[in-house]
Amino acid sequence: MEALRFQVVGEAFKKKALDVMTPSERPSEYFGKKVFNREKMYKYLPKHVYEKMIDVMDNGARLDRDMADAVAAGMRQWATENGVTHYTHWFQPLTEGTAEKHDSFIEHDGKGGMVEEFTGKLLVQQEPDASSFPSGGIRSTFEARGYSAWDPTSPVFIIDDTLCIPTVFISYSGEALDYKAPLLRALHAVNVAATEVCHYFDPTVKKVTSNLGWEQEYFLVDEGLYAARPDLLLTGRTLMGHDSAKNQQMDDHYFGSIPERVAAFMKELEIIALELGIPCKTRHNEVAPNQFELAPVFEETNLAVDHNMLLMSVMKRVARKHGFRVLLHEKPFAGINGSGKHNNWSLSTDNGVLLHAPGKTAEQNLRFAVFIVETLMGVYRHNGLLKASIMSATNAHRLGANEAPPAIISSFLGTQLSELLDHIEKADGEDLLAMAGKQGMKMDIPEIPELFIDNTDRNRTSPFAFTGNRFEFRAVGSEANCASAMIALNSAVAEALTDFKKRVDVKIAEYANRPEFSANTGHTAKFHAIIDVLREDIKTCKPIRFDGNGYSDEWVVEATKRGLDVETSCPKIFDRYLDAESIRMFESLGVMTKKELKARNEVKWETYTKKIQIEARVLGDLSMNHIIPVATRYQSLLLKNVENVAKVFPHVKAEQLSIRNLKLIEEIAERTSIIEHQVEELVNARKRANKIADEREKAIAYHDEVEPKLADIRYQIDKLELIVDDSLWPLPKYRELLFIR
């Protein structure tokens, strides 16, 4: 029973698990109940205002102030009917979280009373304090002004009594201070570039949309146990803790029966999420004990990012109602799987065509090959940048561990797609192309028209794997904002598609007057130009294709030979944002300026330093104020036992009986001495690093000199955990944290 001394769940929470909210409607009937979606717009807005809003949302039309007033009036009417009294501009600063400042609808009526009011001006723009958010030097304390501006493409929603308005967050001088602004720019860039390439195959395409389906992994722990672990409370992960005798080695948690209390939590979470328009689809046990996953139906990328950020916030609130705490840290427990957020990404046209899915005709499959290859080109050219986009102090613990992908970006395609690209690369003109009358060009590869989705095995060690009609960016961390990875990926693909079209157009002009490329022969200049450029790019991006074991040492050597980024130091990986080719790409696409990129890197380096700094301080405190005193107390009990044995038994017998205790006493003395010395070294290393003014160099010092000492101290503490009397050990152990009762 001693092992349950921190367990506070009891019968009360078991009863709570059965007392979960249960709406009488079907999910389809309450989906979007708390969202000002198109259905609500149609009901609460005048017809001409509704039509204008649809044009704004679908086509990027501008919304004038008078129209904004009408929209605000409709929003306020809907909101007040749902008990709303406040509104907030909801944005995503560079903290990896969300931010909000609530204001009520009330204003003076000029007669000594109050009136509810919400104008277009309040809807469209607010002025939060910009100096208190990370800005990388763009804003100083005395330069507090910043603006939040409404993003009409992401619907307004209600949380409790507050109307939440998704917004971008920019500085007084116009630089982005958030994730949403550059994400919207990147999505615009990929739309323009992909639409122009689509016109080679279908001139009627008007828009290409980037889609995202994230898979959110997370851990649950009992709140009482969480509260008894200062390291979990302050850093999100356990800085010490010996392996539990049983963890995930039996493979019995993955897809297993969901515990009753967890199922109740999931049910309430899904109901709230569905009301907020988050299309939750899948839930299940993950590989590690206490680890679970939630995944929605895919959505447009900007909306999907907003929904993921909102869901992470809702998860934390709902979990506490059920006696849990949600852990979104990528590696909260050593020795078992960490948590990722797999980003399933694709492109689709306004007429419903998935551009990364094979088609039924030769022309459709040529388009498919183009978008596959140009995606690979973007990933190849900017593989280091893509790694930087998912890297953090927390995700660094997960990458390369257990089933997480390694810290080298590569792409798994599978046998059939690899063979297709190899065939296109190596085949000569007439071997590749054959006339097909009015059908135009036909690719003489029998397998292509029979290319099916999910026709190959999956490689779980691949950071960027093709999975049938999309790519899965598996390296994104559990607590990360998906926007970071999506900004880099969509920008890289937009650049590749733009470059592809430029080169194809040059070749079309070159081939236009050749008699062998006339419409009469069926061998058109356009298709030959596409094939020529496609073949060049297949050869160029071949180094990014890898279907083998991403965990092997051989792959590191091979990846180095291929010219891929193999850096493992988190602060140095961030350098990729400031590479000349990265700056050129972002600026040419209008996604971010060099000034914005430099500022973001300052934030990244500073954030990395602070996270390691906090962990070092917490571990030092726990070591000196929890672990060593308890170990010393147990050592005193053992010494007392030896002393008592010597009083009762003859000398020889007493020595025999005390051998084990004497060994433990000696080991405790040795390990506590080592810990004291290591903590002193840790403190000194921190002090030396703190004197460094340059944020990059300081982060590197924390990575090289401070972080390794955390593991050294942990090793000694974990050994003491096996020695010290269980009843004295001050912290809940893994065997208690990892198994929900």
Side-chain angles (χ1 to χ4, degrees):
M1 297 298 293
E2 188 62 36
L4 301 179
R5 63 193 181 282
F6 295 104
Q7 183 72 294
V8 297
V9 177
E11 294 302 318
F13 279 122
K14 290 184 179 179
K15 181 178 182 298
K16 179 78 174 177
L18 301 176
D19 192 30
V20 68
M21 58 185 287
T22 306
S24 57
E25 313 103 311
R26 295 190 300 271
S28 59
E29 295 175 317
Y30 60 82
F31 178 75
K33 177 181 177 181
K34 296 187 176 181
V35 181
F36 195 68
N37 53 24
R38 297 186 186 218
E39 177 188 359
K40 310 292 193 323
M41 290 180 194
Y42 186 80
K43 179 179 178 180
Y44 287 92
L45 300 181
K47 183 179 179 182
H48 72 286
V49 176
Y50 168 78
E51 290 173 349
K52 181 65 175 180
M53 273 299 299
I54 298 303
D55 191 28
V56 170
M57 294 163 62
D58 291 348
N59 304 314
R62 290 193 175 276
L63 191 71
D64 59 44
R65 184 53 56 87
D66 289 341
M67 203 70 72
D69 285 336
V71 174
M75 279 185 185
R76 185 178 67 81
Q77 181 183 351
W78 168 70
T80 53
E81 289 176 6
N82 284 274
V84 170
T85 58
H86 290 67
Y87 65 93
T88 183
H89 275 201
W90 182 81
F91 57 97
Q92 300 166 26
L94 302 178
T95 59
E96 299 298 328
T98 58
E100 53 198 68
K101 174 177 69 73
H102 296 196
D103 289 303
S104 69
F105 285 136
I106 62 171
E107 298 287 347
H108 284 295
D109 66 357
K111 303 174 183 178
M114 289 288 183
V115 63
E116 286 79 16
E117 186 175 87
F118 182 56
T119 64
K121 179 181 179 181
L122 298 175
L123 166 64
V124 170
Q125 180 179 312
Q126 280 194 325
E127 189 181 323
D129 181 355
S131 66
S132 298
F133 291 101
S135 70
I138 288 179
R139 294 279 84 190
S140 300
T141 301
F142 64 90
E143 298 173 315
R145 183 162 288 173
Y147 298 107
S148 55
W150 175 37
D151 170 18
T153 65
S154 185
V156 170
F157 56 91
I158 294 172
I159 294 287
D160 296 330
D161 64 351
T162 303
L163 184 70
C164 300
I165 304 161
T167 63
V168 299
F169 182 43
I170 60 175
S171 73
Y172 177 71
S173 48
E175 294 88 2
L177 299 175
D178 69 343
Y179 284 103
K180 181 182 276 286
L183 175 63
L184 291 172
R185 297 168 189 161
L187 297 179
H188 173 72
V190 80
N191 167 32
V192 171
T195 299
E196 293 200 352
V197 172
C198 279
H199 287 165
Y200 288 137
F201 309 95
D202 181 359
T204 67
V205 172
K206 297 179 181 178
K207 183 178 181 180
V208 171
T209 300
S210 169
N211 308 301
L212 171 62
W214 40 263
E215 303 169 22
Q216 180 69 58
E217 295 176 340
Y218 61 96
F219 281 86
L220 291 176
V221 296
D222 283 302
E223 187 158 23
L225 301 176
Y226 174 88
R229 291 285 310 220
D231 50 353
L232 271 182
L233 185 68
L234 297 174
T235 73
R237 76 180 181 107
T238 53
L239 299 176
M240 62 191 72
H242 199 280
D243 289 349
S244 172
K246 179 183 184 297
N247 48 50
Q248 68 185 46
Q249 69 266 47
M250 298 301 295
D251 300 320
D252 54 347
H253 192 261
Y254 192 49
F255 282 17
S257 177
I258 300 173
E260 182 180 58
R261 290 174 54 223
V262 176
F265 154 76
M266 288 178 168
K267 184 175 182 180
E268 183 167 358
L269 174 63
E270 287 181 3
I271 290 169
I272 294 173
L274 289 167
E275 287 182 339
L276 290 168
I278 305 173
C280 298
K281 176 73 172 178
T282 302
R283 65 187 185 198
H284 62 82
N285 288 6
E286 256 299 333
V287 173
N290 283 21
Q291 188 186 32
F292 308 94
E293 180 178 296
L294 182 152
V297 178
F298 75 89
E299 302 177 279
E300 183 274 328
T301 295
N302 177 47
L303 180 58
V305 169
D306 282 0
H307 279 167
N308 183 248
M309 298 303 293
L310 177 57
L311 179 89
M312 289 192 289
S313 176
V314 172
M315 286 175 76
K316 295 173 184 177
R317 297 172 58 201
V318 175
R320 298 197 69 176
K321 292 173 63 177
H322 292 263
F324 294 125
R325 285 294 187 126
V326 170
L327 303 182
L328 293 173
H329 192 290
E330 283 80 3
K331 197 74 172 177
F333 303 104
I336 60 174
N337 279 13
S339 295
K341 181 147 51 191
H342 304 162
N343 279 211
N344 295 281
W345 171 86
S346 64
L347 298 174
S348 62
T349 67
D350 56 314
N351 52 12
V353 175
L354 279 173
L355 296 175
H356 291 109
K360 296 181 179 180
T361 68
E363 187 172 67
Q364 290 171 354
N365 283 314
L366 178 59
R367 180 188 61 206
F368 162 69
V370 166
F371 277 91
I372 290 291
V373 171
E374 295 314 310
T375 297
L376 294 176
M377 281 291 290
V379 175
Y380 170 60
R381 285 173 175 165
H382 298 285
N383 67 93
L385 174 65
L386 286 171
K387 180 164 65 175
S389 75
I390 55 86
M391 185 54 71
S392 66
T394 54
N395 203 23
H397 292 290
R398 163 182 167 262
L399 295 180
N402 292 300
E403 72 159 13
I408 301 173
I409 299 298
S410 65
S411 184
F412 168 82
L413 300 182
T415 303
Q416 191 174 14
L417 184 52
S418 293
E419 289 178 352
L420 166 63
L421 298 187
D422 290 343
H423 186 98
I424 295 174
E425 175 193 352
K426 296 173 184 176
D428 292 327
E430 290 304 319
D431 293 331
L432 184 65
L433 303 173
M435 293 173 58
K438 294 182 180 181
Q439 295 177 4
M441 187 202 70
K442 180 179 180 181
M443 299 183 73
D444 188 22
I445 309 173
E447 298 83 16
I448 296 181
E450 300 300 321
L451 197 62
F452 299 110
I453 62 172
D454 299 332
N455 61 354
T456 187
D457 202 354
R458 298 177 68 188
N459 187 327
R460 301 184 72 84
T461 69
S462 177
F464 194 76
F466 180 69
T467 56
N469 57 7
R470 62 192 181 279
F471 282 91
E472 184 179 18
F473 197 1
R474 296 178 54 84
V476 183
S478 167
E479 68 177 1
N481 187 323
C482 297
S484 179
M486 290 297 102
I487 292 167
L489 176 58
N490 283 283
S491 298
V493 174
E495 181 193 55
L497 290 168
T498 300
D499 180 62
F500 174 82
K501 185 175 188 304
K502 286 180 180 177
R503 290 182 292 135
V504 169
D505 286 348
V506 168
K507 284 193 174 289
I508 289 174
E510 178 185 334
Y511 292 162
N513 298 321
R514 292 189 184 182
E516 66 268 30
F517 298 135
S518 69
N520 295 330
T521 65
H523 290 192
T524 66
K526 179 178 71 173
F527 284 114
H528 271 272
I530 290 172
I531 289 296
D532 285 352
V533 176
L534 184 63
R535 183 181 286 116
E536 292 173 3
D537 288 351
I538 290 172
K539 294 176 182 178
T540 300
C541 70
K542 185 171 281 189
I544 204 68
R545 291 161 49 188
F546 178 66
D547 291 0
N549 179 10
Y551 292 158
S552 69
D553 294 336
E554 291 80 7
W555 169 231
V556 178
V557 176
E558 174 62 23
T560 304
K561 292 179 180 178
R562 295 185 183 194
L564 303 182
D565 191 303
V566 298
E567 180 61 64
T568 58
S569 169
C570 185
K572 293 180 180 178
I573 288 171
F574 293 148
D575 290 345
R576 301 288 73 76
Y577 273 99
L578 300 179
D579 287 344
E581 55 267 31
S582 297
I583 294 172
R584 188 184 311 114
M585 176 189 73
F586 283 125
E587 289 195 326
S588 67
L589 296 173
V591 175
M592 282 185 282
T593 64
K594 184 176 182 178
K595 180 179 180 181
E596 288 173 317
L597 290 167
K598 284 185 173 181
R600 281 163 193 269
N601 261 32
E602 288 292 311
V603 172
K604 289 177 183 293
W605 285 318
E606 185 179 4
T607 300
Y608 179 87
T609 295
K610 288 178 177 178
K611 283 185 178 290
I612 305 302
Q613 185 180 72
I614 291 170
E615 289 188 351
R617 294 179 65 183
V618 170
L619 184 58
D621 173 61
L622 289 177
S623 299
M624 302 305 294
N625 296 318
H626 287 66
I627 303 305
I628 289 180
V630 167
T632 304
R633 190 183 316 151
Y634 183 56
Q635 186 184 48
S636 298
L637 291 174
L638 293 176
L639 285 166
K640 187 67 174 176
N641 178 268
V642 171
E643 182 183 338
N644 290 338
V645 168
K647 292 178 181 178
V648 174
F649 295 95
H651 178 69
V652 176
K653 185 67 172 177
E655 280 190 342
Q656 293 175 344
L657 292 174
S658 300
I659 287 176
R660 180 178 181 274
N661 283 352
L662 289 169
K663 287 182 178 179
L664 291 177
I665 291 167
E666 184 178 356
E667 184 174 355
I668 290 171
E670 181 181 348
R671 294 195 184 280
T672 54
S673 176
I674 292 173
I675 291 172
E676 288 176 336
H677 176 67
Q678 289 176 333
V679 169
E680 183 180 0
E681 285 188 337
L682 178 67
V683 171
N684 291 333
R686 224 176 61 230
K687 289 179 177 179
R688 288 193 298 271
N690 290 340
K691 293 178 181 178
I692 301 173
D694 182 81
E695 289 295 346
R696 178 182 181 273
E697 295 306 314
K698 183 188 293 185
I700 291 173
Y702 262 88
H703 176 274
D704 295 348
E705 304 298 330
V706 178
E707 187 182 27
K709 291 178 171 53
L710 302 181
D712 294 339
I713 295 171
R714 176 179 190 145
Y715 175 81
Q716 300 298 332
I717 293 174
D718 289 356
K719 290 298 184 182
L720 284 177
E721 182 183 316
L722 296 178
I723 297 172
V724 174
D725 188 330
D726 188 61
S727 64
L728 296 178
W729 195 252
L731 305 172
K733 298 181 178 181
Y734 273 24
R735 65 169 182 254
E736 297 156 357
L737 290 165
L738 288 175
F739 298 95
I740 291 173
R741 298 169 179 85

PDB file of all heavy atoms in Angstrom, residues 494-510:
ATOM      1  N   ALA A 494       6.770  26.014 -52.179  1.00  0.00           N
ATOM      2  CA  ALA A 494       6.418  27.140 -53.057  1.00  0.00           C
ATOM      3  C   ALA A 494       7.619  27.569 -53.885  1.00  0.00           C
ATOM      4  O   ALA A 494       7.504  27.831 -55.091  1.00  0.00           O
ATOM      5  CB  ALA A 494       5.903  28.303 -52.215  1.00  0.00           C
ATOM      6  N   GLU A 495       8.787  27.652 -53.248  1.00  0.00           N
ATOM      7  CA  GLU A 495      10.001  28.034 -53.979  1.00  0.00           C
ATOM      8  C   GLU A 495      10.325  27.007 -55.060  1.00  0.00           C
ATOM      9  O   GLU A 495      10.667  27.367 -56.195  1.00  0.00           O
ATOM     10  CB  GLU A 495      11.170  28.159 -53.014  1.00  0.00           C
ATOM     11  CG  GLU A 495      12.459  28.580 -53.706  1.00  0.00           C
ATOM     12  CD  GLU A 495      13.675  28.411 -52.816  1.00  0.00           C
ATOM     13  OE1 GLU A 495      13.901  27.288 -52.306  1.00  0.00           O
ATOM     14  OE2 GLU A 495      14.414  29.397 -52.638  1.00  0.00           O
ATOM     15  N   ALA A 496      10.209  25.710 -54.716  1.00  0.00           N
ATOM     16  CA  ALA A 496      10.525  24.657 -55.688  1.00  0.00           C
ATOM     17  C   ALA A 496       9.571  24.704 -56.878  1.00  0.00           C
ATOM     18  O   ALA A 496       9.996  24.566 -58.038  1.00  0.00           O
ATOM     19  CB  ALA A 496      10.458  23.290 -55.004  1.00  0.00           C
ATOM     20  N   LEU A 497       8.292  24.911 -56.628  1.00  0.00           N
ATOM     21  CA  LEU A 497       7.305  24.971 -57.709  1.00  0.00           C
ATOM     22  C   LEU A 497       7.517  26.202 -58.583  1.00  0.00           C
ATOM     23  O   LEU A 497       7.376  26.136 -59.814  1.00  0.00           O
ATOM     24  CB  LEU A 497       5.892  24.973 -57.126  1.00  0.00           C
ATOM     25  CG  LEU A 497       5.423  23.652 -56.495  1.00  0.00           C
ATOM     26  CD1 LEU A 497       4.139  23.867 -55.702  1.00  0.00           C
ATOM     27  CD2 LEU A 497       5.209  22.588 -57.573  1.00  0.00           C
ATOM     28  N   THR A 498       7.857  27.316 -57.949  1.00  0.00           N
ATOM     29  CA  THR A 498       8.128  28.541 -58.708  1.00  0.00           C
ATOM     30  C   THR A 498       9.322  28.343 -59.637  1.00  0.00           C
ATOM     31  O   THR A 498       9.285  28.714 -60.819  1.00  0.00           O
ATOM     32  CB  THR A 498       8.402  29.710 -57.740  1.00  0.00           C
ATOM     33  OG1 THR A 498       7.263  29.908 -56.900  1.00  0.00           O
ATOM     34  CG2 THR A 498       8.702  30.988 -58.508  1.00  0.00           C
ATOM     35  N   ASP A 499      10.377  27.738 -59.119  1.00  0.00           N
ATOM     36  CA  ASP A 499      11.573  27.478 -59.918  1.00  0.00           C
ATOM     37  C   ASP A 499      11.275  26.474 -61.031  1.00  0.00           C
ATOM     38  O   ASP A 499      11.746  26.625 -62.168  1.00  0.00           O
ATOM     39  CB  ASP A 499      12.675  26.935 -59.007  1.00  0.00           C
ATOM     40  CG  ASP A 499      13.948  26.636 -59.765  1.00  0.00           C
ATOM     41  OD1 ASP A 499      14.535  27.571 -60.330  1.00  0.00           O
ATOM     42  OD2 ASP A 499      14.353  25.444 -59.800  1.00  0.00           O
ATOM     43  N   PHE A 500      10.475  25.459 -60.716  1.00  0.00           N
ATOM     44  CA  PHE A 500      10.087  24.458 -61.716  1.00  0.00           C
ATOM     45  C   PHE A 500       9.377  25.141 -62.884  1.00  0.00           C
ATOM     46  O   PHE A 500       9.699  24.887 -64.058  1.00  0.00           O
ATOM     47  CB  PHE A 500       9.179  23.417 -61.063  1.00  0.00           C
ATOM     48  CG  PHE A 500       8.592  22.415 -62.018  1.00  0.00           C
ATOM     49  CD1 PHE A 500       9.325  21.310 -62.434  1.00  0.00           C
ATOM     50  CD2 PHE A 500       7.299  22.568 -62.497  1.00  0.00           C
ATOM     51  CE1 PHE A 500       8.787  20.380 -63.316  1.00  0.00           C
ATOM     52  CE2 PHE A 500       6.742  21.647 -63.379  1.00  0.00           C
ATOM     53  CZ  PHE A 500       7.490  20.545 -63.788  1.00  0.00           C
ATOM     54  N   LYS A 501       8.418  26.000 -62.588  1.00  0.00           N
ATOM     55  CA  LYS A 501       7.657  26.640 -63.662  1.00  0.00           C
ATOM     56  C   LYS A 501       8.551  27.542 -64.519  1.00  0.00           C
ATOM     57  O   LYS A 501       8.414  27.569 -65.756  1.00  0.00           O
ATOM     58  CB  LYS A 501       6.500  27.458 -63.097  1.00  0.00           C
ATOM     59  CG  LYS A 501       5.613  28.042 -64.199  1.00  0.00           C
ATOM     60  CD  LYS A 501       4.401  28.743 -63.677  1.00  0.00           C
ATOM     61  CE  LYS A 501       3.481  29.127 -64.838  1.00  0.00           C
ATOM     62  NZ  LYS A 501       4.127  29.952 -65.861  1.00  0.00           N
ATOM     63  N   LYS A 502       9.453  28.262 -63.892  1.00  0.00           N
ATOM     64  CA  LYS A 502      10.349  29.130 -64.665  1.00  0.00           C
ATOM     65  C   LYS A 502      11.158  28.315 -65.664  1.00  0.00           C
ATOM     66  O   LYS A 502      11.293  28.692 -66.835  1.00  0.00           O
ATOM     67  CB  LYS A 502      11.289  29.882 -63.721  1.00  0.00           C
ATOM     68  CG  LYS A 502      10.629  31.005 -62.940  1.00  0.00           C
ATOM     69  CD  LYS A 502      11.643  31.691 -62.031  1.00  0.00           C
ATOM     70  CE  LYS A 502      10.997  32.813 -61.231  1.00  0.00           C
ATOM     71  NZ  LYS A 502      11.955  33.453 -60.292  1.00  0.00           N
ATOM     72  N   ARG A 503      11.688  27.190 -65.205  1.00  0.00           N
ATOM     73  CA  ARG A 503      12.536  26.374 -66.080  1.00  0.00           C
ATOM     74  C   ARG A 503      11.715  25.669 -67.155  1.00  0.00           C
ATOM     75  O   ARG A 503      12.167  25.518 -68.299  1.00  0.00           O
ATOM     76  CB  ARG A 503      13.329  25.363 -65.253  1.00  0.00           C
ATOM     77  CG  ARG A 503      14.415  26.038 -64.400  1.00  0.00           C
ATOM     78  CD  ARG A 503      15.223  25.029 -63.617  1.00  0.00           C
ATOM     79  NE  ARG A 503      14.414  24.402 -62.585  1.00  0.00           N
ATOM     80  CZ  ARG A 503      14.400  23.098 -62.324  1.00  0.00           C
ATOM     81  NH1 ARG A 503      15.139  22.272 -63.046  1.00  0.00           N
ATOM     82  NH2 ARG A 503      13.656  22.617 -61.364  1.00  0.00           N
ATOM     83  N   VAL A 504      10.508  25.247 -66.810  1.00  0.00           N
ATOM     84  CA  VAL A 504       9.640  24.615 -67.815  1.00  0.00           C
ATOM     85  C   VAL A 504       9.260  25.629 -68.887  1.00  0.00           C
ATOM     86  O   VAL A 504       9.289  25.326 -70.096  1.00  0.00           O
ATOM     87  CB  VAL A 504       8.385  24.015 -67.153  1.00  0.00           C
ATOM     88  CG1 VAL A 504       7.355  23.615 -68.219  1.00  0.00           C
ATOM     89  CG2 VAL A 504       8.748  22.805 -66.309  1.00  0.00           C
ATOM     90  N   ASP A 505       8.915  26.854 -68.480  1.00  0.00           N
ATOM     91  CA  ASP A 505       8.532  27.879 -69.456  1.00  0.00           C
ATOM     92  C   ASP A 505       9.681  28.197 -70.411  1.00  0.00           C
ATOM     93  O   ASP A 505       9.462  28.432 -71.611  1.00  0.00           O
ATOM     94  CB  ASP A 505       8.083  29.149 -68.728  1.00  0.00           C
ATOM     95  CG  ASP A 505       6.707  28.997 -68.081  1.00  0.00           C
ATOM     96  OD1 ASP A 505       6.021  28.004 -68.385  1.00  0.00           O
ATOM     97  OD2 ASP A 505       6.339  29.865 -67.262  1.00  0.00           O
ATOM     98  N   VAL A 506      10.893  28.208 -69.900  1.00  0.00           N
ATOM     99  CA  VAL A 506      12.056  28.446 -70.761  1.00  0.00           C
ATOM    100  C   VAL A 506      12.173  27.342 -71.804  1.00  0.00           C
ATOM    101  O   VAL A 506      12.410  27.605 -72.993  1.00  0.00           O
ATOM    102  CB  VAL A 506      13.343  28.542 -69.915  1.00  0.00           C
ATOM    103  CG1 VAL A 506      14.581  28.498 -70.822  1.00  0.00           C
ATOM    104  CG2 VAL A 506      13.342  29.803 -69.077  1.00  0.00           C
ATOM    105  N   LYS A 507      11.989  26.102 -71.378  1.00  0.00           N
ATOM    106  CA  LYS A 507      12.105  24.976 -72.313  1.00  0.00           C
ATOM    107  C   LYS A 507      10.942  24.948 -73.302  1.00  0.00           C
ATOM    108  O   LYS A 507      11.122  24.575 -74.468  1.00  0.00           O
ATOM    109  CB  LYS A 507      12.182  23.658 -71.548  1.00  0.00           C
ATOM    110  CG  LYS A 507      13.549  23.408 -70.911  1.00  0.00           C
ATOM    111  CD  LYS A 507      13.705  21.990 -70.432  1.00  0.00           C
ATOM    112  CE  LYS A 507      15.142  21.756 -69.947  1.00  0.00           C
ATOM    113  NZ  LYS A 507      16.090  21.740 -71.089  1.00  0.00           N
ATOM    114  N   ILE A 508       9.748  25.329 -72.852  1.00  0.00           N
ATOM    115  CA  ILE A 508       8.614  25.385 -73.777  1.00  0.00           C
ATOM    116  C   ILE A 508       8.914  26.372 -74.903  1.00  0.00           C
ATOM    117  O   ILE A 508       8.671  26.086 -76.087  1.00  0.00           O
ATOM    118  CB  ILE A 508       7.324  25.789 -73.028  1.00  0.00           C
ATOM    119  CG1 ILE A 508       6.857  24.650 -72.121  1.00  0.00           C
ATOM    120  CG2 ILE A 508       6.209  26.141 -74.017  1.00  0.00           C
ATOM    121  CD1 ILE A 508       5.675  25.011 -71.234  1.00  0.00           C
ATOM    122  N   ALA A 509       9.443  27.523 -74.534  1.00  0.00           N
ATOM    123  CA  ALA A 509       9.798  28.526 -75.551  1.00  0.00           C
ATOM    124  C   ALA A 509      10.891  27.996 -76.474  1.00  0.00           C
ATOM    125  O   ALA A 509      10.875  28.239 -77.693  1.00  0.00           O
ATOM    126  CB  ALA A 509      10.257  29.811 -74.869  1.00  0.00           C
ATOM    127  N   GLU A 510      11.808  27.236 -75.914  1.00  0.00           N
ATOM    128  CA  GLU A 510      12.915  26.665 -76.696  1.00  0.00           C
ATOM    129  C   GLU A 510      12.415  25.622 -77.684  1.00  0.00           C
ATOM    130  O   GLU A 510      12.881  25.537 -78.829  1.00  0.00           O
ATOM    131  CB  GLU A 510      13.928  26.040 -75.738  1.00  0.00           C
ATOM    132  CG  GLU A 510      15.117  25.368 -76.408  1.00  0.00           C
ATOM    133  CD  GLU A 510      16.003  24.664 -75.393  1.00  0.00           C
ATOM    134  OE1 GLU A 510      16.008  25.086 -74.211  1.00  0.00           O
ATOM    135  OE2 GLU A 510      16.684  23.694 -75.783  1.00  0.00           O
TER     136      GLU A 510
END
